[in-house]
Amino acid sequence: HTSEIMEGDCFYGFGEKTGRLNKLHQFMTMSPNDTMGYNPINADSLYKHIPFYIKANKKTGKACGYFYHNMNECSFDMGRSHSNYWAHHSTYEVDHGDIDLFFIAGPSVKDVVRDYTYLTGRSAMLPKYALGYLGSSMYYSELDKDCDKAIEGFIETAIDEDIPIDGFQLSSGYTTQKTDEGDKRCVFTWSSDRFPNPTDFFKSMGEKGIVVSPNVKPGILLVHPDIDKFTSKDMLVKASDDEELYAVGALKSHFAVGDIESHYAVGAWWGGKGVFADFTNPKCREEWKKLLVDNVLSKGTASVWNDNCEYDSIVDKDAKVDYDGKGATIGETRVQMANIMCKITDEAIRENNPNIRPFIVCRAGHSGIQRYAQSWAGDNRTSWDTLKYNQATVLGMSMSGVSNYGADIGGFYGEVPSTELFVRWVQAGIFMPRFSIHSVNTDNTVTEPWMYPEYTHYIRGAIKFRYRLLPYMYSLMMRSHSGGDMIMMPLMAAYPSDDNCYDIDDIYLLGDSLLVANVLDKGADMRKVYLPKGSNYYGFSYENDRVSLDKFEGGATAEIPVDLESIPLFVVSGAIIPIAKNQMMNMSKDDVNSLRIICVADKSSSFDYYEDDGITLDYQKGIYRRTHIDMQVGETTTISFAYEGEYKSTIKDIELAVTSDNNCPNTVVVDGRELEHYLRQQDYEQTDEGWYYDIESRTTFIRHPYIPSNYTVAINYNSMDMLGM
C-alpha cells in the first residue's frame, strides 16, 4: 500500500522502534525478536509488532493515523526510496494476508491516539503499586540457594537506605531444576534449594508491602521433568510436516525425545531445545490457566511477568497452530501469542482473586497489548546512547497506544553503569510509567540504587520525588485508561502549530502540565531546552516541589546551568499538578494524606484528580473519587472543586500553591469563609488554615483542611485602597 508524502509530513509511532522519534526517510521492518543488548539507534526490529503510525504535517498542524490490521511480518518505507517518475511516497508491504487499513482522520495527534486506542483497547488500569519502584536483578534468582532470603535482604536494604520501593520482578532462575543435562529453567516449577517455601516467601514480602511478579515463559525444554503434561494435553505448536498429529489429533501420554521432535515445532530455548505453548488452542489456554493458578498464583501473588514470548526461535514459519480449530501457521500468528498469553493470565488472576486488579508485565506484544500489560523496552544495553534513544522509544510507544511503559534503568546488559550515567538514568526513569532498575551485568556486578554510596543521595532524592508525583501520575493513568490520552506526550503532539517541535525527542510533556528536559549527555554543565510557542514556562524545583522565580516565554531556547543533581523541569501556563506533601515510601501501605496542588494562574484550565483504593476492582462499581478542579483566571481567580464517586478520600489537608503575575492578593475566600493572611512564612507554616504570599516566586500558598463537598477558592487580586483616595 503506497501513500504520497507531502511537504512537511513527519511520521511517528510504529510501536517499539530505536533511533529518532520522527521516522521520515526511514526503512523499518516488523518481525519481533529477542534482541538482548540491542543497538539503541539502528537495531530493527525489537520485541513488539504494532503496524500503526501517525502522519503529522508541520505545515498544517494536522495529523492522521494508519492502522494495518495484519499480524504478518511487514515493512515500512517512509520515503527512503525515491523515483523521478513518481511522487515522493511511503510504502507498507506485508508478506501475507490482507491490506486491512483503518484510516484515522484526526485532525490532531491526540485525537488519533484516542481513536486508535478506542479501536484496539485502552490501557489497563493497573494497581497503584505498578507506578512504584520495581526492584529486580537476575542475580538474586541465580544464587545457589536461599534466594528468598537474599531478596528479602534486598528489600530490607532499600528500607534501610530510605529508598521507596513497591515491587520485585522475580527472574526465571526460581524455576531451575536438576535434569540429565544439568540445571535448567523449567516453567511452572520451583527450585527447592532457592525457594524452599514459596508461599511463605510471598507472605513475607506481602507483609513488607512488596508485590512479587514471577517470570513465566511459554517455552518448555525437552528435558523438562513434566514434559508429558504438555504433550498429553495438546498444548503445543506442532511441526509443519506432522500430518498425522495435526489432522487426526493422535495424542500419546508419553513421547520419547526423538518422537517429540518429530511431532512438534522445536526451537532454541533457554538451556537447549524446546517446544512452545500454542495459545491459539482453547485446550492450551485452559490448561495453561490451571498450571498458572496451581504453580504461581496460589503461592500468594496477583502479578505475573510474561517473558520471552516473541516465538522467534521457531525457524519453520509453517509450523502449525490450532487457531481455534481453523488451523494456521506460526508465521501468521506468532505476534498474537503474547497478547493471548496476557489475556489468559488476566483471566486466571481474576478467577483466582475475583476483586484484585491484575498486574501483568510483558516484553512482547501486538496491537492491543496495552489492554492487559505494562511493558518495557526489553533487554537494553548499558550506554549513554541507550539512555538518550530509549526516551524516543518510550515516546514512540506512547504514540502507539502503549502508555504503561518504560525502559530498564541503568541498562540491562553490559558493564555496570558509571556513577554519572546511573544518576542521569534514574533521573530520566522517574517520569516513565514503568520504573524498574534491572540488570544482568557482564562484569558480575549488580545495578542497585545504593551501589555508589557517595551518590546514593541523588538516587534517593529522585525516587522520592517520583513518589510525591503519584497523585498526578495515577490521575494520568486513569485518564489513559478511560480516554486513551498519552501519559508521556511528545512536544509536537501538544504544540502542533510550532514546527520546531516535530523533530524534538529529548524533551516532552508529562501529562499537560509538566515539561521534562532531563540531562542525557555525559559531562553536561548546561542544558539547552527549547520551549514551544503558545505558552509561558516556569522553572520548577523538584527538591521542594515549588515553582521558582524563573519565567520563560515560549518560542525560544533556554540555557539552564546543570550539575549532577539537576533535573530540568518546567510547569506550563495553566498547569494544575497535584503532588503529595507527605513522603510516601510504599504505595501499598502509605496513603496521600496531605496534598499540594500547584497552579499556574496565567491561563484558565482544568484537571481531574483521581483516587481509589489502588488495588481492587471496586472503582468499576463507582467506589472512586474524581475531583474536577477548574481554574478560572482573572482579577479574582477562582479554583473550584467538584466531586464524583463514592470513595472516601484519604486526604486530610490541602495546600494550593498558586503562581500569578498579579499583585499580592487582597483576600482569599475558601468555601465562603475568608482565611487569615500571614505575613511571615514561619507563622503560616504553624497554622492549619490560612494563606501566605511568597514575593520572590509570586506564589500564594493557601492551606485548609480537606473539604468533602463541592467548594470554591476565590483569590481576589484587586488593589486595596488603603489611603482612601
Side-chain angles (χ1 to χ4, degrees):
H1 179 233
T2 300
S3 305
E4 185 173 349
I5 296 177
M6 308 299 290
E7 183 180 357
D9 280 348
C10 302
F11 300 95
Y12 307 93
F14 305 94
E16 193 173 66
K17 292 298 177 185
T18 58
R20 299 297 302 272
L21 186 62
N22 183 2
K23 303 304 184 186
L24 178 65
H25 299 143
Q26 297 296 306
F27 180 86
M28 295 161 288
T29 61
M30 244 171 236
S31 177
N33 296 304
D34 184 340
T35 56
M36 186 174 72
Y38 59 86
N39 183 304
I41 305 174
N42 298 311
D44 188 49
S45 289
L46 296 186
Y47 306 87
K48 312 294 191 300
H49 183 277
I50 302 178
F52 164 75
Y53 70 85
I54 298 171
K55 178 170 71 175
N57 189 283
K58 65 171 66 176
K59 303 295 183 183
T60 66
K62 301 294 178 62
C64 57
Y66 293 74
F67 172 46
Y68 294 96
H69 187 219
N70 189 303
M71 298 170 293
N72 291 272
E73 295 180 8
C74 59
S75 64
F76 292 87
D77 183 340
M78 309 314 293
R80 187 165 185 167
S81 62
H82 185 76
S83 170
N84 190 46
Y85 298 100
W86 311 105
H88 198 206
H89 59 273
S90 63
T91 302
Y92 162 79
E93 185 174 329
V94 65
D95 290 349
H96 187 74
D98 298 327
I99 291 182
D100 187 9
L101 170 65
F102 288 82
F103 179 80
I104 302 173
S108 74
V109 170
K110 294 180 183 179
D111 292 328
V112 173
V113 175
R114 289 171 186 142
D115 288 345
Y116 169 73
T117 56
Y118 178 81
L119 183 65
T120 61
R122 296 278 161 75
S123 291
M125 188 59 189
L126 301 177
K128 193 177 294 183
Y129 61 74
L131 292 174
Y133 164 39
L134 307 173
S136 187
S137 172
M138 288 192 68
Y139 168 83
Y140 286 97
S141 63
E142 297 295 330
L143 298 173
D144 291 338
K145 63 178 182 177
D146 298 333
C147 297
D148 51 354
K149 291 184 174 59
I151 294 171
E152 291 187 48
F154 169 85
I155 301 302
E156 290 165 1
T157 300
I159 295 170
D160 185 60
E161 290 284 352
D162 195 30
I163 290 176
I165 189 167
D166 268 89
F168 192 86
Q169 308 281 281
L170 180 60
S171 295
S172 58
Y174 77 93
T175 66
T176 299
Q177 299 293 317
K178 297 185 183 305
T179 74
D180 293 339
E181 296 184 9
D183 291 348
K184 302 292 182 181
R185 291 176 174 84
C186 299
V187 65
F188 294 134
T189 70
W190 287 84
S191 166
S192 58
D193 291 330
R194 295 176 175 181
F195 291 87
N197 194 322
T199 302
D200 286 351
F201 168 68
F202 281 105
K203 181 180 179 182
S204 175
M205 294 290 275
E207 290 170 350
K208 294 177 173 65
I210 304 302
V211 175
V212 178
S213 306
N215 185 289
V216 176
K217 304 181 191 297
I220 302 97
L221 286 170
L222 299 186
V223 295
H224 193 298
D226 297 323
I227 189 68
D228 289 353
K229 290 182 179 178
F230 300 95
T231 57
S232 64
K233 299 286 187 176
D234 195 17
M235 297 178 65
L236 305 175
V237 178
K238 299 176 176 66
S240 61
D241 57 357
D242 186 11
E243 296 298 334
E244 179 184 359
L245 186 61
Y246 178 68
V248 181
L251 296 173
K252 301 178 181 179
S253 61
H254 176 77
F255 283 108
V257 171
D259 292 332
I260 292 175
E261 293 192 56
S262 65
H263 287 294
Y264 296 104
V266 176
W269 194 235
W270 282 45
K273 293 180 179 180
V275 287
F276 301 87
D278 176 11
F279 295 119
T280 73
N281 187 335
K283 295 179 182 178
C284 175
R285 295 197 291 269
E286 287 305 310
E287 290 299 327
W288 194 269
K289 283 167 62 174
K290 292 176 184 177
L291 289 168
L292 194 60
V293 171
D294 292 345
N295 297 286
V296 179
L297 301 179
S298 65
K299 308 300 181 186
T301 186
S303 181
V304 175
W305 169 12
N306 288 333
D307 200 13
N308 299 90
C309 32
E310 295 80 20
Y311 283 70
D312 60 321
S313 66
I314 301 179
V315 176
D316 183 0
K317 300 291 180 62
D318 293 325
K320 297 171 182 177
V321 298
D322 183 80
Y323 208 57
D324 283 345
K326 301 178 182 67
T329 68
I330 193 66
E332 296 171 290
T333 60
R334 73 181 180 95
V335 302
Q336 271 192 342
M337 292 298 184
N339 287 36
I340 304 173
M341 186 179 183
C342 288
K343 182 179 187 295
I344 61 179
T345 301
D346 183 270
E347 292 172 355
I349 293 172
R350 292 173 187 270
E351 291 168 10
N352 192 60
N353 298 279
N355 199 36
I356 296 297
R357 230 177 284 180
F359 176 38
I360 301 167
V361 179
C362 188
R363 190 177 69 179
H366 179 51
S367 298
I369 188 63
Q370 67 270 8
R371 290 177 298 187
Y372 307 112
Q374 184 186 79
S375 190
W376 82 108
D379 297 341
N380 56 1
R381 179 180 290 274
T382 302
S383 73
W384 283 94
D385 279 345
T386 303
L387 167 62
K388 177 178 290 189
Y389 287 95
N390 267 181
Q391 185 159 286
T393 301
V394 174
L395 291 173
M397 282 292 277
S398 183
M399 297 181 80
S400 302
V402 184
S403 281
N404 290 317
Y405 190 80
D408 279 348
I409 307 303
F412 174 75
Y413 180 78
E415 295 182 354
V416 65
S418 67
T419 53
E420 182 188 7
L421 176 57
F422 185 52
V423 170
R424 293 304 189 201
W425 217 319
V426 170
Q427 291 170 343
I430 61 172
F431 302 106
M432 297 177 184
R434 174 175 169 81
F435 179 73
S436 180
I437 300 172
H438 183 41
S439 67
V440 62
N441 297 342
T442 56
D443 55 7
N444 299 325
T445 58
V446 182
T447 304
E448 295 178 323
W450 46 82
M451 65 182 181
Y452 296 119
E454 293 183 10
Y455 296 83
T456 301
H457 63 287
Y458 297 126
I459 307 297
R460 181 184 301 114
I463 298 177
K464 282 189 170 183
F465 175 56
R466 177 187 177 86
Y467 273 65
R468 294 197 302 278
L469 269 178
L470 170 67
Y472 184 57
M473 295 188 72
Y474 194 59
S475 299
L476 295 179
M477 184 196 284
M478 170 48 77
R479 194 169 73 170
S480 178
H481 170 70
S482 59
D485 290 277
M486 292 173 278
I487 295 176
M488 291 173 61
M489 181 164 50
L491 294 186
M492 51 75 58
Y495 302 97
S497 61
D498 188 343
D499 59 4
N500 295 310
C501 294
Y502 283 73
D503 290 300
I504 295 177
D505 47 26
D506 62 346
I507 306 167
Y508 61 90
L509 284 177
L510 186 67
D512 299 315
S513 296
L514 190 62
L515 187 143
V516 181
N518 287 110
V519 180
L520 305 174
D521 294 310
K522 182 178 181 180
D525 57 10
M526 185 73 68
R527 177 64 158 105
K528 291 184 178 180
V529 183
Y530 179 74
L531 301 169
K533 301 172 187 176
S535 179
N536 292 323
Y537 303 85
Y538 303 80
F540 183 74
S541 170
Y542 81 92
E543 294 92 343
N544 56 17
D545 307 333
R546 291 196 176 190
V547 176
S548 72
L549 180 63
D550 301 327
K551 176 184 174 181
F552 304 86
E553 292 185 1
T557 297
E559 294 189 356
I560 310 298
V562 297
D563 57 23
L564 194 55
E565 192 172 12
S566 300
I567 303 178
L569 299 171
F570 300 84
V571 291
V572 306
S573 293
I576 300 175
I577 307 175
I579 288 181
K581 284 186 67 179
N582 61 301
Q583 181 61 63
M584 292 181 293
M585 302 298 290
N586 179 275
M587 295 182 189
S588 296
K589 289 188 170 185
D590 300 338
D591 293 320
V592 179
N593 52 54
S594 185
L595 188 71
R596 172 179 285 145
I597 305 175
I598 296 165
C599 302
V600 177
D602 62 353
K603 176 183 175 182
S604 297
S605 64
S606 63
F607 182 79
D608 284 348
Y609 170 51
Y610 180 79
E611 303 168 87
D612 59 27
D613 64 24
I615 194 167
T616 74
L617 298 173
D618 286 349
Y619 73 95
Q620 297 176 346
K621 308 167 189 173
I623 306 176
Y624 63 87
R625 188 77 151 174
R626 180 179 283 109
T627 305
H628 182 70
I629 305 171
D630 182 77
M631 180 170 64
Q632 295 297 317
V633 172
E635 286 192 357
T636 297
T637 291
T638 60
I639 304 174
S640 301
F641 297 80
Y643 299 114
E644 172 190 306
E646 300 178 8
Y647 179 72
K648 184 177 179 181
S649 177
T650 60
I651 298 170
K652 305 300 181 186
D653 61 82
I654 289 179
E655 180 180 69
L656 294 171
V658 185
T659 299
S660 172
D661 283 337
N662 285 314
N663 300 324
C664 174
N666 185 347
T667 60
V668 173
V669 177
V670 175
D671 197 25
R673 295 185 305 104
E674 184 174 333
L675 298 191
E676 184 174 350
H677 178 198
Y678 292 89
L679 295 177
R680 288 204 322 157
Q681 183 177 357
Q682 298 95 313
D683 296 334
Y684 166 78
E685 296 290 350
Q686 296 302 314
T687 187
D688 293 330
E689 186 175 81
W691 66 277
Y692 164 77
Y693 182 68
D694 181 71
I695 297 173
E696 284 193 339
S697 65
R698 303 182 77 85
T699 299
T700 304
F701 292 93
I702 305 163
R703 176 177 293 171
H704 64 83
Y706 181 75
I707 300 172
S709 56
N710 297 351
Y711 71 102
T712 297
V713 175
I715 308 169
N716 184 355
Y717 291 103
N718 294 329
S719 297
M720 183 187 301
D721 186 3
M722 295 185 183
L723 300 179
M725 298 294 289

